[in-house]
Amino acid sequence: MSGTSTIARLRAEIRHLEQGQCHSGEVLPFEVPALDAQLPGSGLVLGGARGPTDEAAATLFTAGIAARTRGPVLWCLRERDLFAPALAQAGLAPERVIHVEAPDEAALLNCLEEGLRHGGLGAVVSEVPKLSLKASRRLQLAAEGQDTLALALHRTPRPSGVTGQGAPSAALTRWRIATCPSAPLPVPGVGRAHWRVELLRVRGGTGTEFTVEACDATGRLDLPADLANGSGVEGRQELAS
């Protein structure tokens, strides 16, 4: 084997490890070219962990991702405040969702890990106030080798709570979602919601941020018409955590 071919093989293996692709290599694209271009493999790697930060918009962002996977979706939570009709509007039908209410954070993470190791689920969502580096590594290991998405949704911080959103994480991607003014309509009413989506971290890639139209009934995002046409491009904005 020549030195050139050996170097090329090693580089490919490094890219493989950086992207966390210890699985089938299948990805779930957003089908928004400008956003997919920022992700290794042009989509979310199935069998990896993602960590969107909070707000109601982040819940719907997560639901839209889960809706486009195949199979049941296990949603682990601490409180009975998940609104099924809203998830359905983001494409996640109620009959696909298996709800698990955990008594504490340890049980919550155990449910998430067991769901990932099951292998027959499309996605596993866990609403966690914080996620340590050690816990995120365990979840990433549980997700690898499966085609199941692990989605850790950080809950809105309470006045006396600590979110841990700035802590290190082994998640392949990390997101922050904020709401923007919806699109104006020519008649009275409220247009399709707009979100500010910030990709804070991606293994093997670089972060970015976009203003997008919220998930439709199939769980898909879209670019606003002015941005899709190349006009009205916005500068970087500070997002609320």
Side-chain angles (χ1 to χ4, degrees), residues 64-183:
I65 294 172
R68 293 183 294 109
T69 63
R70 296 186 295 271
V73 174
L74 180 67
W75 201 298
C76 310
L77 67 167
R78 290 284 309 280
E79 302 179 19
R80 300 179 184 180
D81 58 357
L82 196 61
F83 191 53
L87 300 187
Q89 289 182 348
L92 186 55
E95 59 269 19
R96 289 189 58 197
V97 182
I98 303 170
H99 298 88
V100 174
E101 185 178 352
D104 52 45
E105 290 180 27
L108 193 80
L109 293 175
N110 285 337
C111 290
L112 177 55
E113 185 173 349
E114 289 301 317
L116 291 172
R117 295 189 186 282
H118 180 272
L121 301 172
V124 179
V125 182
S126 182
E127 301 183 3
V128 293
K130 58 184 177 181
L131 188 64
S132 69
L133 179 59
K134 180 179 179 180
S136 65
R137 283 174 174 165
R138 285 181 59 88
L139 296 176
Q140 179 59 39
L141 289 173
E144 290 176 356
Q146 309 290 346
D147 284 339
T148 301
L149 272 175
L151 299 162
L153 178 63
H154 294 295
R155 300 287 297 181
T156 301
R158 307 284 177 92
S160 60
V162 178
T163 64
Q165 293 178 2
S169 171
L172 298 186
T173 62
R174 193 167 191 170
W175 305 81
R176 181 159 56 202
I177 316 299
T179 56
C180 296
S182 60

Side-chain angles (χ1 to χ4, degrees), residues 173-204:
T173 62
R174 193 167 191 170
W175 305 81
R176 181 159 56 202
I177 316 299
T179 56
C180 296
S182 60
L185 296 176
V187 295
V190 179
R192 184 173 175 179
H194 284 185
W195 296 337
R196 189 68 173 177
V197 174
E198 185 176 5
L199 177 57
L200 299 173
R201 175 183 177 275
V202 53
R203 189 186 301 178

Side-chain angles (χ1 to χ4, degrees), residues 48-70:
R50 333 286 150 190
T53 54
D54 199 55
E55 288 187 12
T59 301
L60 297 179
F61 176 80
T62 302
I65 294 172
R68 293 183 294 109
T69 63
R70 296 186 295 271

